[in-house]
Amino acid sequence: MENEILIGADADPDAEQYLTFILADEEYGVDILRVQEIKGWDSVTPIPNTPGYIKGVINLRGTIVPIIDLRQRFSMDKVEYGPMTVVIVLKIESNDRDRIMGIVVDAVSDVYDVSGEEMKPAPDFGNVVNVEFVKGLATVSEKMLIILDIDHLLSGDELAATDGLAG
């Protein structure tokens, strides 16, 4: 980890911390307060009749957790999972209830503080591209971060489909 986590008087009180990860050579971030756990890729139990991006489920200390391949969810090229491939277990909040879900990413990168001033809105592509799950863009250490709104990674129907998988 290159950046220090600022505590006390040096910390920007308006900044939020984001765990970043790599996906197809781009760096994405999720609110670190939503991260439950980071674990190396391991096999999952596939569930029939689920979309391709739902890899299956894992039993995480008694909780059945659906696992989403973020590359497939974002229609990116498929790659073989390797030693750097990890599952980030996240807490997803929606109107009706909270859920635990894992996302498969290429590698975990870093933790960054991003202030409100550094966060820029997602570009508007009209109806051509859905960017509802992009919270914003931020430039940190000369790198562009795509900050995800994890509560909108899946639609209401897709979340409902994962409810049948989770325990």
Side-chain angles (χ1 to χ4, degrees):
M1 306 266 169
E2 296 174 0
N3 290 350
E4 294 179 30
I5 297 174
L6 300 176
I7 298 173
D10 293 338
D12 181 349
D14 297 327
E16 295 181 15
Q17 289 191 318
Y18 292 91
L19 173 73
T20 62
F21 56 89
I22 305 297
L23 205 59
D25 297 326
E26 298 296 331
E27 198 159 354
Y28 294 80
V30 293
D31 184 348
I32 199 164
L33 297 177
R34 299 294 194 83
V35 176
Q36 305 285 300
E37 184 170 332
I38 301 169
K39 58 187 291 143
W41 169 253
D42 200 357
S43 63
V44 299
T45 302
I47 304 294
N49 295 323
T50 56
Y53 57 84
I54 298 178
K55 302 308 292 177
V57 296
I58 61 171
N59 184 337
L60 189 64
R61 291 180 293 282
T63 301
I64 304 301
V65 178
I67 303 297
I68 308 296
D69 185 318
L70 216 49
R71 276 181 165 268
Q72 289 184 330
R73 176 67 182 117
F74 291 167
S75 301
M76 295 175 175
D77 291 337
K78 191 174 181 179
V79 297
E80 293 296 320
Y81 296 155
M84 300 298 288
T85 304
V86 296
V87 174
I88 302 173
V89 179
L90 300 165
K91 179 180 174 186
I92 309 294
E93 296 178 355
S94 64
N95 292 337
D96 56 341
R97 69 185 189 101
D98 295 346
R99 297 166 170 87
I100 302 296
M101 184 179 307
I103 58 172
V104 180
V105 301
D106 295 350
V108 169
S109 179
D110 214 330
V111 174
Y112 292 107
D113 290 326
V114 177
S115 69
E117 294 174 1
E118 294 171 314
M119 183 81 76
K120 306 297 180 207
D124 183 8
F125 295 104
N127 293 331
V128 177
V129 177
N130 180 2
V131 291
E132 184 179 341
F133 52 83
V134 177
K135 184 176 181 179
L137 304 171
T139 302
V140 178
S141 301
E142 300 180 15
K143 292 188 283 188
M144 176 75 73
L145 303 179
I146 302 168
I147 307 296
L148 298 178
D149 181 349
I150 58 170
D151 296 333
H152 292 97
L153 276 178
L154 300 179
S155 70
D157 290 343
E158 292 167 326
L159 281 174
T162 65
D163 285 346
L165 306 176

